Amino acid sequence: MILDYKEILVFDFETTGLYPKRDKVIEIGAVLLEKKDDTYIIKEEVNLLIKQDKPITDFISNLTGITNEMLEKDGIDEESAFRKLDSMISEDTLLVAYNLAFDIGFLSALYQMYVNPRHLIKNDILDCMAVYKDRYPYPHKLESAVTTFNLINQNAHRASEDAKATFEVLKMLAKEQNNLKIYVNVLGYNKKYGLPNREYFFNNIKLVAQGFNGYRE
């Protein structure tokens, strides 16, 4: 995997909904990777459930497998969870997620809550889904990519397992065609769903139109 970053953080959030300004993170999964020679090895990984002020819906519970009982029993407070995640991110860490445009909004909301209301994310980013969408036709969900590469993600929609699955997909994509550098600070989008939000970032983020049929459109 030809990337110039000493560390890569692959992360995933499970949330109560789609909107960072009104919905909450219920689980953080993250895998911190450190470069050794020409490969990356896992340096640290976390899976954190977050206590909620009000019960999550049956829909979210059925989707994620996370119950209100789990959050009450094993959850920690939101700030402690954020601080742990933040401790894994240095200024030069590459942030990677699958459908990063979704997760980055919730990460930004946490920074604005606990660091600075005007905080901008200065780290470089890489959206694994943008790479996959350039090469394969619809559907483009993480489970689609997992199936394409004959990988296993037994606990899909649990944050740490999705983060590790994202890393495995990224490795397969790099093995297939090692051009990941061109996807740094790029967000793909489909005109049907509108443009990703770039207000979270300090860096200039390039938007690239991507359709349903694979390859750029």
Side-chain angles (χ1 to χ4, degrees):
M1 188 185 298
I2 301 176
L3 287 168
D4 297 327
Y5 300 88
K6 182 179 178 181
E7 292 184 337
I8 296 174
L9 184 81
V10 186
F11 69 103
D12 183 77
F13 294 143
E14 300 301 329
T15 69
T16 61
L18 302 176
Y19 305 102
K21 291 184 178 180
R22 74 181 190 210
D23 294 313
K24 306 294 287 184
V25 177
I26 59 174
E27 186 179 39
I28 296 173
V31 181
L32 181 62
L33 306 155
E34 184 176 34
K35 192 168 190 179
K36 294 289 186 182
D37 300 319
D38 291 328
T39 189
Y40 284 91
I41 63 170
I42 294 177
K43 180 179 180 180
E44 184 179 1
E45 60 181 282
V46 298
N47 192 80
L48 304 168
L49 292 170
I50 299 175
K51 289 184 182 296
Q52 301 296 303
D53 293 333
K54 58 183 180 181
I56 62 174
T57 64
D58 290 342
F59 174 81
I60 294 299
S61 186
N62 291 333
L63 176 67
T64 63
I66 298 169
T67 66
N68 287 296
E69 291 74 20
M70 290 166 61
L71 295 174
E72 183 60 32
K73 178 176 179 289
D74 300 320
I76 62 176
D77 67 275
E78 183 180 77
E79 182 173 2
S80 296
F82 163 72
R83 298 292 179 192
K84 178 58 182 175
L85 179 64
D86 184 47
S87 73
M88 300 170 72
I89 302 172
S90 67
E91 62 181 9
D92 298 322
T93 303
L94 176 68
L95 302 180
V96 175
Y98 199 94
N99 191 15
L100 184 137
F102 171 81
D103 296 280
I104 207 72
F106 284 91
L107 180 61
S108 175
L110 290 171
Y111 272 110
Q112 290 179 2
M113 173 68 72
Y114 297 111
V115 177
N116 184 335
R118 297 183 179 180
H119 181 88
L120 294 176
I121 293 171
K122 296 182 178 181
N123 296 76
D124 286 345
I125 60 165
L126 195 159
D127 181 9
C128 186
M129 188 174 76
V131 186
Y132 185 77
K133 285 179 73 173
D134 261 5
R135 302 184 191 177
Y136 294 93
Y138 185 85
H140 296 125
K141 293 182 179 181
L142 177 58
E143 50 260 44
S144 307
V146 167
T147 300
T148 295
F149 294 119
N150 295 314
L151 302 171
I152 296 173
N153 185 14
Q154 293 181 332
N155 293 307
H157 293 295
R158 290 303 303 271
S160 65
E161 295 303 314
D162 281 357
K164 285 186 278 190
T166 296
F167 177 54
E168 293 302 319
V169 168
L170 196 68
K171 287 196 295 184
M172 296 301 292
L173 289 166
K175 183 178 180 180
E176 181 182 72
Q177 185 179 353
N178 209 345
N179 66 345
L180 299 184
K181 284 184 177 181
I182 69 172
Y183 292 92
V184 172
N185 291 335
V186 170
L187 289 178
Y189 69 94
N190 188 304
K191 293 179 181 178
K192 179 178 179 180
Y193 303 114
L195 297 176
N197 195 333
R198 290 188 285 186
E199 70 178 14
Y200 310 124
F201 304 101
F202 178 83
N203 296 331
N204 180 43
I205 303 299
K206 182 179 180 182
L207 300 182
V208 175
Q210 294 180 298
F212 289 109
N213 298 314
Y215 309 104
R216 298 192 179 188
E217 297 182 10

